[in-house]
Amino acid sequence: MQNIILTGNTLTLEDLVEVARHGATVELSEEARQNVITSRAIVEDIVAKDKVVYGITTGFGEFSKVKISQEDCAQLQENLIRSHACGYGPYFTTDIVRAIMLTRANALSKGYSGVRPQTLETLIAMLNKGVHPLVPEKGSLGASGDLAPLSHMVLPMLGLGEAEYQGVHMSGKEAMDKAGIPIIKLDAKEGLALINGTQVLTSTGALAVYDAIGLIKLSDITAALSVEALRGITDAYDPRIHVIRNQRGQMITAKNMLKLLEGSTYATRQGELRVQDAYSLRCVPQVHGASKDTILYVKEKVELELNAVTDNPIVTREGDIISGGNFHGEPMAVVFDFLGIGAAEIGGISERRLERLINPQLNDLPAFLTKDGGLSSGFMITQYAAAALVSENKILAHPASVDSIPSSANQEDIVSMGTIAARTARDIIDNVKRVLTTELMAACQAIDFRANDGFVLGKGTKPAYDVIRRDVKFMENDNNIEMYKELDKITALIDSREILAAVEKAVELEY
């Protein structure tokens, strides 16, 4: 099992996925530990000297005007967690919760937050031993950070709230006891340091962008299979077209399509059957390429934020405490809105290719890809379901970041709604996955109707076809099938990345 060393500066998206989804363990580097000790000494000096510093010896938000006595500084931090844990709705999935815990630990390990080393080590122990707080999805404005959901993350550290341990939901205290992790009492500034950051929105969006990378590659594979099923024209992917526009994602997509279709006798050349294809085939490089550029941009921003200090106030190396706004989620809110839009477009063009595969007015294949039309409906309603997901994505893709509602008596008067942006990007990507699932299954069905003509699949599409046909067979008619179960099998292949892995053994795909 992989072990990730936290330095505060080197966490990658791939590291995040290893911890969140594959159980990699986490360890604090010695340099990070020393930085944490140094920043903590500054906070303790402030408390000892009874200085007035926001969040340490004052209340929070509008209550920053209220001075807190030295003896109440610790109680202030626990009260903060108890009162701010007011989230609502379904709980984040375990992988997102693990990502949240990891990214918050990484931010604290930079040594600008003033927590005690033992507090940080408690969070890391929970991650390593599988104590996963139950964190409701709703309730964050994305400024000041993700206050409500991060408070739910902290509750089990104090023996409060609820958690999942070994797959079972229980009280936070019971989970900590079963895992053998002592609960803690927060000290000055620690509650604020644990919850005042962008880790919920960043972690949710980071896992979404990782999934989007897999889907954008899969979308090229899916499109290539549809090109073969419809006997599409490969001239539209000629690099001479794309280099003169000089758009990175477009050029990469055209290259991917030619790699995938290399050797295919299903695909045609310009003028053999027709002079040009519909946009959903001909413009794959332009549409998929735009989404590739979007996803790459988001990934770059995510990896900056994974190693950022996003709480407030900041404990500087020089011993100053500066109140600023690094908790504000706007830099990532607009990015995750962008991610959702880019992903939605992949679903949109996929659904249009699906329509071309099943509509007898647009192809030379049996209507709705069934041999028994009338008695059997074949793939007719799969397009309905895909169209519903695409339409839902149009609503979800409305940007969250353009909205704001003032909070804390107008002290916090402009907020990012970044957590909503990240959650909706995640939901859009999940919908796109099912649309691509449907196109994949329809394309393989259409290809099988041409199988007796002696055609040969491409170098990259053949491995994808073989993996799909291993689990999902050609459907003669509606007898003895339940369509959703067949679709679920392909969705599982996408989730496991088996299709992508098989193709990438044959051809290297870029994004």
Side-chain angles (χ1 to χ4, degrees), residues 451-470:
N452 292 333
D453 296 331
F455 293 121
V456 176
L457 288 167
K459 182 179 179 180
T461 52
K462 180 66 161 60
Y465 173 90
D466 288 344
V467 171
I468 291 165
R469 279 290 174 255
R470 184 195 70 199

Side-chain angles (χ1 to χ4, degrees), residues 67-87:
K67 175 74 167 58
I68 304 299
S69 67
Q70 185 174 346
E71 55 270 23
D72 284 336
C73 282
Q75 187 62 50
L76 171 71
Q77 302 302 314
E78 182 176 319
N79 289 352
L80 174 74
I81 303 305
R82 288 175 177 272
S83 67
H84 285 39
C86 56

